[in-house]
Amino acid sequence: MATKYIVGSVAASFAFAYVCGVYVADRKVFGGTTPRTMATNEWGKETDRKLQAWPRTAGPPVAMNPISRQNFVVKVKPSPEP
């Protein structure tokens, strides 16, 4: 009995959130405009072109530490041979 109320309430809350999102983001109820870089894919194409033109240089493998945002060189330990 309570399950239908819970499922109905969750579905209604998702529908309400979707409608609010459409009106705020797409219909611009609070004003504003969509930037040109978001409306067209011109910016993305230019960014891809510049990234592909970057010279690639090989270096030691690094692991990213997302907590401190520092790069550390990964040192591979040689395995002992039996």
Side-chain angles (χ1 to χ4, degrees):
M1 179 85 177
T3 304
K4 69 178 179 179
Y5 293 114
I6 293 172
V7 171
S9 300
V10 169
S13 65
F14 277 115
F16 180 73
Y18 174 77
V19 168
C20 288
V22 167
Y23 274 101
V24 170
D26 296 337
R27 305 243 174 125
K28 304 285 186 220
V29 171
F30 297 118
T33 58
T34 302
R36 184 176 53 86
T37 56
M38 294 290 291
T40 65
N41 60 1
E42 174 187 341
W43 179 81
K45 287 180 182 177
E46 184 65 21
T47 303
D48 284 342
R49 188 185 66 78
K50 285 186 178 184
L51 285 176
Q52 295 303 322
W54 243 349
R56 303 283 194 250
T57 57
V62 295
M64 183 65 126
N65 183 355
I67 295 173
S68 64
R69 300 281 187 202
Q70 294 178 357
N71 291 327
F72 295 99
V73 175
V74 177
K75 296 185 180 183
V76 179
K77 296 179 182 177
S79 59
E81 295 184 24

